[in-house]
Amino acid sequence: MKYKKVLSLSTALFLAALSAGNPLFAQNQAELTVDFSKEKTEVSENLFGIFYEDINYAADGGLYGELIQNRSFEFKKSHRSATECWKTVNIKAKKEAKSKVKGKKDNPLNKNNPTYAQIELKAKWDGIENSGYNGIPLEEGKTYPLSLYLRSPDKKVKKAVIVLGSKDKKAKVTKIKVKKISNEWQKYTFNVTARESTENAVLGIYAGSRRGTLDIDFVSLFRADIYKNEENGLRADLAQMLEDLHPAFMRFPGGCLVEGSRLSDRYQWKNTIGPVEERVEELNFWNYQQSMGLGFYEYFRLCEDIGAEPIPIINCGISFAGENNNEADIPLEKMEPFAQDALDLIEWATGSASSEWGKKRAEQGHPEPFKLNYLGIGNENGREHYYERYKYIADRVREKYPEIKLIMSAGAFPSDDTFFNTWKQVRKWESDPSSETIVDLVDEHYYCPPSWFLTNTSRYDISDFYPRGQGQPKVFVGEFASQVESKNGSAKKPGTLYAAVTAAAYMTSLEKNGDIVEIASYAPLFARENNYQWSPDMIWFTNTSVYGTPDYYVQQLFMNHKSDKSVKYELKEAESKAEKAYIGGSIGLGSWSTTVEYKDITVTAKTNGNITYNSKTANDISNFDSQNGAWAFKDGSIIGSSTAENCRLVMQGKGSEHYVLQLKAKKTGGNEGFLIMFGHKDGSFYWWNLGGWANTKCCVEKGSAAARSVIGNTEAITIENGKWYDIKIEVKGESYKCYLDGKLIHEYTDVLNFAPLYAHVGEGAEGKIIVKIVNVSEEEQSIKVNLQNAGELKAEGKLIVISGNPDDENSYENPKLISPVESTITGIGESFVYSAKPTSVSVIEIQRK
């Protein structure tokens, strides 16, 4: 039953792409016809927003204004030294100090901040220095707020000196003398003015005593330029990039960050509010320290500052490891604290200043309630253990706060078994009066190649899967990105124009279906240069510079020019003269953390019946290129003996339009199953992943060695050790069929011959007409625009265009190479012709008379 549903959705997507506005072959000139007399569809007012997760050092070392790394000496939480990022130096001798620094826990500053640095002095002016995040940036004449806690337990250290500036010999540094240090913790605060500009300053604290003990904790130095000059604030230029987007909402704090690698590492919002010295630092899911200086108070305040709806996501008793093992970390009978966390969060954000949790918000400086209309329960979770825990929390929230819209996760992929089973569960709840209102939105994620986005522009047109009407759960596209790879197969780091334009093509369909898709956000948002875990990203930064990728400007364009209503339209493409594409390509074998054996391998060209490869007649693997792993030919079998990830052996040659690959496969050890490749061309390929995801799933993925996405259906299949399996893959044109032991498992028709044009037409405030045209081709496209029954129109309108070469990327040297260009368009009438530049996104705004 599940297989049939997946197949029908895939088939419907392909047919809809042909019939609902994107035919492959039409007349000589494209034509966009809009009828304003027909019924219009409401577009969600919150459609396009942002997703913020502390990945790629997006918080500490990024958006958060703190310049000191490991300011509170709590790095042991990240399995690192408590004094990492600090080194001992004698300021007079300008060399490593004789004194040693250790992390100590006796009589700490507070219970949440248990570790501090202690120096046992052996020479006067010994101390410790911190260079922040690859250097502390300073601007001459600007003032930097500094604070720290000091004490001398043995009362022998009475004074110290603090120095801020470059380590260069002729550097102009700022010195601050600290006197009357006692044996009790005391906070010292200063405003430090930089004497010269540098990107590589250090902050040093040196003791003015030859002997004795000096304890140091919570050393904080904030940037001079803080967004809106708020206390414990944000880096101004990065926050301004967010404000300039004008996002309708912000989803936070994750992402996988919410789950944690283990449940003990999960994000706990209560640990992120209150005085920063008392917040509980944690290991970040992305394997670095979170100071929690940027916590829920700062998130809600930022949303308020930039006019965005806050959408917090909470943990539901399942960690990342638990989800991968198909189990919950907390028994259902022990879920009460997780439900209470959700209720307390809502009270903290929206309750009166006299309520228990509202009082805590007020004490931080915000007596008035924050805005809160959405709450997400879980991230990229699925299956029965999640459904039970989602419902447990949702029932509690719905009972006390029925006005809050609740968001349920549909997993990490756009069309796997978790996705379909989640929607099946939602429909089941809908049919039961006792549970029909517990899901308001379903959170779908897709990180996919451009072809997926162009193939799926009709995804939400399919009314039998996404029914329209009041009361139906809406879609939240919580994370999406079009991921373009370079020719060598590695992911493009900053993000290309082509990636952004293909995402824009897809976004026209989100706006068209704005009554089904309520909110959508690109991801990830920020990446720190040389300190990132994921790419592409929307905004890149260093300590002193920032730029937006082409995706940034495309997202900004859609956020700032969203329609209120979608108008019925039809787009007919011009006749294409391009040669028709097909899967073709060569074949390959692979493994992932698994040892394998393959034999009886044949490749047969169905056009003439020739067997182009037969392992029985081969004596070696000279026909193959080993791209990773350890491969050998023995006794007629190809053996993969490596347990590394992503091992690949690719056959040389181009393949044909119609061929059949047959082989026998045996797993001899390891964690997963087989990877059988087909359609391999220039580093891109399809592979049939049998026993993927810890030997739980079977699906076809499309992409490259660096990044792939699931296409078609996913089945629950486990590969046994020591058993021979018969595998057959038939490739014909744009289609493939995959058989396991004679049974058809996957049948799919990919879309390789993409239409060049995609569009959306809507109405904005005061009847303004908004036409979006996306040209994904490398040729200029002429479009005749027919605005039927639109009324009298002004002859001049506003035109905003983003265009360039497909591989163009922005950079620190040229941050706006790809950015919007605004001009006036003339000759507007009931019918007019517009020429869309190659690889471009155009917005035409037309006013009625």
Side-chain angles (χ1 to χ4, degrees), residues 127-143:
I128 55 175
E129 294 179 348
N130 189 294
S131 57
Y133 296 86
N134 304 319
I136 296 174
L138 301 176
E139 287 188 60
E140 184 179 348
K142 290 193 173 181
T143 301

Side-chain angles (χ1 to χ4, degrees), residues 118 128 174 190 467 487 575 650 716 772:
Q118 185 174 87
I128 55 175
T174 304
F190 310 95
K487 291 182 179 179
E575 183 177 350
V650 179
K772 295 185 177 77

